[in-house]
Amino acid sequence: MELLKKMFHMFVLFCLCWWRLIGAFAVDMKSVVEGESVLLHSDVTEIREDDDMLWTFGKEDSLIAKINREEQIFSIFDVPDGRFSDRLKLDDTTGSLTITNITTQHAGLYQLDVFGAEHSSKVFSVSVNARLSVPVISSNSLNCSSSSSSSSSSSQQNCSLLCSVLNVGHVTLSWYKGNSLLSSISVSDLSISLSLPLEVEYQDKNSYSCVINNSFSKQTRHLNISQLCWTCYVSADVLDQSLPSLNMMLISAAAAAGSLLIVAAAVTYLICMKCKKTVQEEDRTDSALCKPKSQKVKSRKNAVYENVPKKR
Ligand SMILES: *[C@@H]1O[C@H](CO)[C@@H](O)[C@H](O)[C@H]1NC(C)=O
Ligand SMILES: *[C@@H]1O[C@H](CO)[C@@H](O)[C@H](O)[C@H]1NC(C)=O
Ligand SMILES: *[C@@H]1O[C@H](CO)[C@@H](O)[C@H](O)[C@H]1NC(C)=O
Ligand SMILES: *[C@@H]1O[C@H](CO)[C@@H](O)[C@H](O)[C@H]1NC(C)=O
Ligand SMILES: *[C@@H]1O[C@H](CO)[C@@H](O)[C@H](O)[C@H]1NC(C)=O
């Protein structure tokens, strides 16, 4: 009988403890991304005149804020390691606490105790998710594939791009053209590196972006085609311009050569006409230009005359 009574007593105690535990752990869960702020709301619209409020953090129940409205005390404290420096803001009206620019160091349990006519408490469990880093877009700078289908037009120069992220888990990496999804890849493993390729024409005027996301955040990198594909741009431009300009150069060179030839021919013709005239008019002339010519002609004639009889 005594044992049964004792057991019953213990049972009641256990239940009471359990109930208190459950009550205390009606936890308000907060999930935030690094760098953001989180508001831990006191659920009080206005602090009562004779209420004391205490905010504590972590397993050690370190006091981080204290409010006594009657004595006009609104104090913020840091924990010994100083991790809250300037990050805590206290609302003088409601007693709510805001943690700004949160880091993973600030994850954990926060408890608010209100001591007044009666004692009440509220617990917040804050989890901090590491911020996703913005993906990086790189180009295979030597990899400007020109389309084989178009014969000579270099407007089909393509640029190969790669969007990458390092050490991620449970994320999706996607390429978007405007608002429409082009391609995506998902991983559920932890800490792997991901990359997703994209081919664009260097003259493409659409806006492309590479997005990494998980269930709680996302990061976007916009593609600047002219910046990343300038090598394709340059090689296409060289192709575009060098062919016509080479032709132009050839044509103008030919034209120049042609006109030179014409001028030279004209000059020679004029000189020779003049020579002929002078030779005909004055048989013996000292003109250096004309003398050899007439002599040559003469000697050839002589040679022909001399050879003919010998051959026959
Ligand atoms: C947020 O915290 C990080 C690291 O603690 C710090 O480098 C950064 O300057 C802070 N940003 C602001 C806006 O206070
Ligand atoms: C160019 O890209 C193709 C795939 O698009 C790849 O197979 C090739 O190795 C790349 N070439 C260079 C030089 O990066
Ligand atoms: C160039 O890119 C377009 C898409 O932007 C693609 O349809 C085409 O096949 C690509 N051409 C070559 C030669 O890779
Ligand atoms: C990324 O966002 C899309 C919708 O925007 C969502 O369907 C998808 O589940 C998210 N990815 C992850 C890994 O949560
Ligand atoms: C793209 O890059 C070029 C060259 O670096 C720059 O002049 C231009 O402003 C950039 N465009 C955008 C939209 O950022």
Side-chain angles (χ1 to χ4, degrees):
M1 224 21 206
E2 198 59 29
L3 189 74
L4 213 72
K5 210 175 170 185
K6 216 171 182 177
M7 275 182 75
F8 179 71
H9 192 72
M10 280 189 57
F11 178 68
V12 169
L13 257 177
F14 173 77
C15 284
L16 261 176
C17 282
W18 189 236
W19 182 81
R20 278 187 68 95
L21 265 175
I22 300 260
F25 279 86
V27 177
D28 192 343
M29 310 288 282
K30 299 277 184 188
S31 180
V32 279
V33 174
E34 243 179 330
E36 290 181 348
S37 297
V38 63
L39 170 68
L40 308 181
H41 202 281
S42 64
D43 284 345
V44 171
T45 43
E46 193 169 3
I47 308 165
R48 274 179 296 202
E49 197 72 31
D50 50 358
D51 274 0
D52 271 343
M53 284 179 138
L54 295 181
W55 280 100
T56 52
F57 168 72
K59 288 192 193 102
E60 288 81 31
D61 284 333
S62 312
L63 183 66
I64 50 171
K66 181 179 177 178
I67 298 172
N68 185 316
R69 218 181 134 203
E70 205 174 17
E71 293 170 31
Q72 289 296 309
I73 297 170
F74 298 93
S75 305
I76 284 169
F77 310 98
D78 206 339
V79 291
D81 65 17
R83 73 180 77 174
F84 285 108
S85 66
D86 295 335
R87 284 189 168 86
L88 300 176
K89 303 255 180 304
L90 207 50
D91 186 316
D92 291 359
T93 312
T94 63
S96 300
L97 188 71
T98 301
I99 309 157
T100 60
N101 190 19
I102 205 162
T103 75
T104 48
Q105 280 195 309
H106 306 107
L109 293 179
Y110 293 76
Q111 182 163 342
L112 170 65
D113 284 289
V114 182
F115 301 97
E118 54 193 34
H119 172 220
S120 68
S121 61
K122 196 177 174 195
V123 174
F124 299 86
S125 172
V126 175
S127 63
V128 180
N129 298 296
R131 177 171 287 277
L132 289 172
S133 56
V134 185
V136 174
I137 302 174
S138 57
S139 69
N140 245 333
S141 56
L142 296 172
N143 216 346
C144 310
S145 54
S146 42
S147 178
S148 45
S149 59
S150 63
S151 50
S152 64
S153 165
S154 53
S155 66
Q156 296 295 310
Q157 282 277 320
N158 272 7
C159 178
S160 306
L161 299 161
L162 213 54
C163 180
S164 329
V165 281
L166 298 177
N167 300 326
V168 289
H170 302 284
V171 295
T172 300
L173 189 65
S174 320
W175 273 113
Y176 284 87
K177 179 180 184 173
N179 287 323
S180 57
L181 181 67
L182 290 177
S183 60
S184 71
I185 182 173
S186 296
V187 278
S188 47
D189 297 324
L190 277 172
S191 282
I192 72 158
S193 298
L194 264 188
S195 54
L196 192 63
L198 177 74
E199 281 235 330
V200 289
E201 286 177 19
Y202 86 95
Q203 283 174 326
D204 200 327
K205 295 287 182 286
N206 291 295
S207 73
Y208 291 87
S209 53
C210 182
V211 177
I212 184 172
N213 79 306
N214 54 24
S215 41
F216 53 84
S217 74
K218 74 172 189 178
Q219 292 283 2
T220 301
R221 173 82 71 182
H222 293 282
L223 169 63
N224 185 334
I225 293 182
S226 59
Q227 187 180 25
L228 279 172
C229 301
W230 67 272
T231 46
C232 301
Y233 193 87
V234 164
S235 51
D237 256 16
V238 166
L239 278 176
D240 261 349
Q241 287 166 3
S242 67
L243 286 177
S245 67
L246 213 72
N247 283 344
M248 281 305 289
M249 273 173 68
L250 281 175
I251 289 167
S252 47
S259 43
L260 265 175
L261 273 173
I262 290 166
V263 167
V267 166
T268 315
Y269 179 75
L270 281 176
I271 290 172
C272 286
M273 283 300 283
K274 204 183 171 193
C275 287
K276 245 185 176 175
K277 260 186 176 175
T278 43
V279 167
Q280 277 170 1
E281 279 170 9
E282 306 162 30
D283 252 355
R284 282 165 205 170
T285 173
D286 288 347
S287 169
L289 258 167
C290 300
K291 233 180 184 174
K293 218 175 184 179
S294 48
Q295 276 177 349
K296 239 184 184 173
V297 170
K298 268 182 185 169
S299 64
R300 241 185 228 159
K301 272 183 178 170
N302 289 343
V304 169
Y305 285 133
E306 278 167 12
N307 285 341
V308 170
K310 274 184 185 173
K311 261 190 179 172
R312 275 183 187 173

